[in-house]
Amino acid sequence: MASRKTSIMEAAARVIARRGVRGLRVEELAAEAGVSTALIYYHFKDRTGILRQTLEFINDRAERYTTERAADAPPLTPREELEQTLLLELQDSVEVRENSTAWGELRASAVFDGTLREDLARATRIWVQEIAELLGAVRPMSSAVALAGAAERLTALLEGLSVRWLSGSLPLAHARTLMVDAIDAEVARLGS
């Protein structure tokens, strides 16, 4: 049963990435996932449940693809781990494109519909905190306030770069270079 629910979540991320939150229709989601609409309602109760669980799914998926390492891979320095975590959000794979696009669509929907606003804010706070912790490993003598500010700037920049890359207004390689430059600047700022 869990694999069926996962396939529905994967389909929901695809549909939201393609059509946006307003374009999400339960019938289309069922067809995309190859299941009945009754099964969708069984798992998610309503459209809001689908959106909330899709948000959780894409967050979990991003956590996986930004933190997974091969068992035999050498350990990363704190700086390398920070850079890799952020840059893996800017990679040309179907999974990352779907995740980033769906995240942007969910965030955009919160402008006019507050249903997911709290969930998105909580997910963003967690993401900022995770980046602040990585920054803290790079610059352990930095204050919590300074780390949080740097993490906020880096995650906001990453979202903006992602939107520009996905919309075709910024080449991926240049987006990655800009991200590395921003990481360098924030780490240097924390060291001063």
Side-chain angles (χ1 to χ4, degrees):
M1 194 58 93
S3 65
R4 176 128 340 148
K5 189 172 182 181
T6 299
S7 69
I8 295 169
M9 293 286 72
E10 290 169 347
R14 280 193 305 274
V15 171
I16 291 170
R18 259 196 329 260
R19 295 200 167 293
V21 171
R22 296 177 102 194
L24 176 67
R25 302 288 178 261
V26 174
E27 297 77 18
E28 183 181 355
L29 173 56
E32 181 79 22
V35 299
S36 69
T37 57
L39 187 61
I40 302 280
Y41 285 115
Y42 171 78
H43 281 295
F44 306 103
K45 306 298 181 236
D46 57 18
R47 191 170 182 281
T48 300
I50 295 167
L51 294 174
R52 281 197 167 111
Q53 289 199 35
T54 301
L55 175 63
E56 186 177 320
F57 171 80
I58 64 174
N59 281 329
D60 290 347
R61 189 161 68 168
E63 172 92 15
R64 183 183 43 74
Y65 67 66
T66 59
T67 60
E68 275 187 352
R69 310 279 186 267
D72 59 347
L76 299 174
T77 66
R79 173 67 169 77
E80 290 169 336
E81 186 175 357
L82 171 67
E83 186 172 306
Q84 186 168 332
T85 298
L86 291 168
L87 290 179
L88 286 174
E89 290 283 0
L90 294 169
Q91 59 178 315
D92 196 7
S93 73
V94 171
E95 192 174 52
V96 171
R97 282 179 172 272
E98 278 179 10
N99 252 34
S100 295
T101 305
W103 173 264
E105 292 293 333
L106 289 162
R107 183 173 296 290
S109 75
V111 171
F112 300 104
D113 178 4
T115 307
L116 292 178
R117 204 170 284 157
E118 187 177 313
D119 296 319
L120 283 158
R122 183 175 29 262
T124 300
R125 281 191 305 273
I126 291 168
W127 185 30
V128 169
Q129 181 180 2
E130 289 169 354
I131 298 304
E133 289 171 6
L134 291 172
L135 283 162
V138 176
R139 293 288 192 210
M141 300 306 290
S142 299
S143 72
V145 171
L147 293 169
E152 191 76 55
R153 287 186 293 277
L154 288 173
T155 56
L157 175 64
L158 180 56
E159 282 187 15
L161 291 173
S162 181
V163 168
R164 288 185 180 188
W165 160 58
L166 289 166
S167 66
S169 56
L170 186 66
L172 178 58
H174 188 57
R176 291 174 66 89
T177 298
L178 291 171
M179 191 74 239
V180 170
D181 291 347
I183 295 167
D184 290 341
E186 292 296 342
V187 168
R189 183 178 182 175
L190 289 169
S192 55

